[in-house]
Amino acid sequence: MERRAFVRLSAYTALVLAIPLADGCKTNPNDPLSQPFLFSRIADIKTLREAGMAYRKLAPHENDPTSLRQLLSEGKPTTDAKLLTTLLNRQVKQDFASAKVITVAGWVLSVTEARQCALFSILNT
Amino acid sequence: MHIDAKLIPDHSVIEGDICIIGAGAAGISMALEWINTPYNVILLEGGGFDYEPAMQDLYRGKTTGQRYYPLESARLHYFGGTTGHWAGFCSVFDPIDFEKRDWVPYSGWPIKRGDLDAFYVRAQRNLDLGPYEYSYEYWRENDPSLVSLPFDPNAVFNKMWQFSPPTRFGSKYKDTIVNAPNIYLYTYANVTDITANEHASAIKQVTIKNLAGKQHTVKAKCFVLACCSMQNARLLLASNKQAPKGLGNDHDVVGRYFMEHIEIKSAEMWFPDPEQLKLYSIDYGKTKVRAELAITAEKQREHRILNGTASFSPLEAARNQPAFIDIWKSSDPKERAKAFGKFDETERKSKSSNGHNSFQLFTRIEQAPNPNSRISLDTETDALGMRRAMLHWELTPLEKRSIRMIYEIIGRQIGIAGKGRVRLMEYLRDEHDDSWPEFTGGGWHHMGTTRMGTDPKTSVVDANCKVHGISNLFTAGASNYATAAAPNPTLTLVALTLRLSDHLKRSAGIFV
């Protein structure tokens, strides 16, 4: 890679990484486990955090990133972000269909996406 | 024929076959049915043809319990009655509304929805509505742009509403009534007493009074009380010369089971992309039909909840709208009309042609029949010497639990559809909290008080709207409702009145 192009790309990458940090968000946007797909298109960071914190109060035994990651990854043997997103979305819908639903901070959410919010809130305290 | 009761000689005796007390939606609908029959019909209206503060004051009364609107602002006291300011919302009761539901105390009517269908068809005409069609499929076929949210129809369905222009009975039917040769409309004819025979088994006459100081007597073979839920109960309770507890009140039921629709903002629905939701929108004065979200009978049974619906308003505007109970608190009903106009305007302005990402969900839900929610008589009297009505409005935990569950069901459905999310308002979040927020309001829909049933211990009238134990006294209107259902009461009360009218026509013996 040409040196000038490398410098430009590095600066751009640094900027992209810095924006979420400046916003107080330490989540990797490519980490589907902490990004409820549909809900994060509706809710802002504060709302995601509030929902996550409310869930952690309701389920204190899950209140650590390891447990949450484990619960969210269960039955999804993949690290491919795109595939994981698809599998999580499917699980969210299944949750709603099978009444695995919880009300957190007023939001009627699937347990899966509530856990995603919980993980998000831990990573972004 | 029209007669002003202020202008006839004092202590006149008026005689006819049927005496209809009250000229609102029920009374006028009843009178229209009897035009050109061989019977002389006396139609008594307490007020005149226009709004008058002194007449309106006769409706003033105290309220206790759940916060409520000033009583004198909730109804109109002149020819045409409360249709003078109604908004025209019409929908039919669901079959489940008539059933005995073991989770809803005192539920169950002695008639079924099917018993009303033929009368709904006729009521549609009185109210200038469209065809008697309340299925979403019918209206979608007529207008493909009425797209439904993708819900499982076994859980949530589109309850269709039709909108009357709204028909003002006072202006629309005045000439017809006044020109009818056998209808004798008396204005300024406030009934203050109903006189029964010695055993209180039949009515002989009623006393009418007005603010001009005149008093008259009306004799008829059959009497129909059609002057709204509060006034029907007030009159029966006040008529206590032959029956000390009031007419039809041997078992202390008259005035009890007062019901309102709880109308309250309850939740929000959020979408990732803007939605038009044309099917669920209303443009007052223009929209002919719209849908509200309703919970199927099966789901109501499963979750043991009351029947209610959810309507949509763009959230941005709805958030800034004060609650009805806060803006419609003037004792002057005309002020209420102005406030309603402002409300419409704000909502209209907020509408965006690009749609909205978020909507407020507004509940209209039946109140469970409750004997403690009641009309009684105050010690204070009105200008005609009649004891004023007093309302104690009381709700139960079932109403609140039902509202919460309705939005959890809707929240689940929008989640299954992958379309959006629902957020409950703060007051619904704690399932152990049975209290109601300050902005809890009613729809100005007064129901119950002379409820229909087979058992005189828990009802006032039978399936034909006849007061138990009194051979020639009937009640018309929403006071007959055993349960309130979700829809506004006017369409159903007109249908019930037409059914009563047909019953009376078949009961020729009553006029001998």
Side-chain angles (χ1 to χ4, degrees), chain B residues 449-490:
Chain B
T449 75
T450 69
R451 68 199 311 260
M452 183 186 277
T454 51
D455 183 355
K457 288 179 184 151
T458 53
S459 62
V460 176
V461 301
D462 66 14
N464 291 316
C465 306
K466 188 183 80 63
V467 176
H468 294 305
I470 303 179
S471 62
N472 62 344
L473 181 61
F474 298 81
T475 59
S479 68
N480 292 328
Y481 291 5
T483 53
N488 295 17
T490 306

Side-chain angles (χ1 to χ4, degrees), chain A residues 7 15 21 23 43 47 64 66 78 84 107 113 117-118:
Chain A
V7 169
L15 184 67
L21 286 171
D23 195 33
T47 306
D64 68 89
T66 314
T78 179
L84 197 51
W107 292 97
E113 64 189 344
C117 291

Side-chain angles (χ1 to χ4, degrees), chain A residues 54-124:
Chain A
Y55 180 78
R56 285 157 56 198
K57 268 190 191 166
L58 291 172
H61 52 290
E62 296 179 16
N63 190 7
D64 68 89
T66 314
S67 302
L68 286 164
R69 282 190 184 281
Q70 199 177 338
L71 287 162
L72 287 163
S73 310
E74 232 166 50
K76 300 174 200 71
T78 179
T79 50
D80 178 76
K82 206 172 168 187
L83 180 59
L84 197 51
T85 301
T86 305
L87 293 173
L88 283 162
N89 285 347
R90 196 176 297 161
Q91 192 175 328
V92 166
K93 283 199 178 188
Q94 278 168 0
D95 279 359
F96 277 115
S98 59
K100 267 184 82 179
V101 173
I102 190 163
T103 303
V104 284
W107 292 97
V108 181
L109 299 180
S110 95
V111 169
T112 299
E113 64 189 344
R115 282 175 175 152
Q116 289 176 287
C117 291
L119 184 55
F120 179 90
S121 71
I122 292 172
L123 299 177
N124 294 281

Side-chain angles (χ1 to χ4, degrees), chain B residues 25-151:
Chain B
I28 291 175
S29 292
M30 169 75 80
L32 290 170
E33 292 291 307
W34 290 77
I35 292 175
N36 294 327
T37 64
Y39 303 102
N40 287 329
V41 175
I42 299 160
L43 177 59
L44 302 177
E45 167 53 49
F49 288 112
D50 291 303
Y51 176 84
E52 293 170 61
M55 298 312 307
Q56 206 61 37
D57 184 73
L58 298 174
Y59 279 168
R60 189 156 51 80
K62 295 183 188 121
T63 65
T64 57
Q66 184 69 40
R67 185 184 176 205
Y68 200 65
Y69 308 102
L71 293 190
E72 69 273 32
S73 73
R75 303 151 289 157
L76 291 175
H77 197 10
Y78 60 90
F79 183 76
T82 307
T83 65
H85 70 188
W86 77 310
F89 282 48
C90 292
S91 189
V92 287
F93 282 20
D94 298 324
I96 191 173
D97 295 322
F98 296 86
E99 293 172 12
K100 170 83 188 151
R101 292 167 281 171
D102 64 12
W103 65 97
V104 181
Y106 308 102
S107 59
W109 295 53
I111 60 172
K112 295 184 172 69
R113 209 321 267 284
D115 295 322
L116 276 187
D117 279 334
F119 302 100
Y120 270 133
V121 174
R122 287 159 56 184
Q124 295 273 121
R125 290 196 289 267
N126 286 28
L127 298 166
D128 300 308
L129 297 168
Y132 181 51
E133 289 287 351
Y134 284 90
S135 76
Y136 164 64
E137 291 71 22
Y138 173 88
W139 292 101
R140 173 73 198 270
E141 206 168 293
N142 279 269
D143 181 355
S145 70
L146 298 176
V147 180
S148 172
L149 283 166
F151 292 140

Side-chain angles (χ1 to χ4, degrees), chain A residues 5-19:
Chain A
F6 173 77
V7 169
R8 218 169 23 222
L9 186 63
S10 300
Y12 173 76
T13 308
L15 184 67
V16 166
L17 288 174
I19 287 170

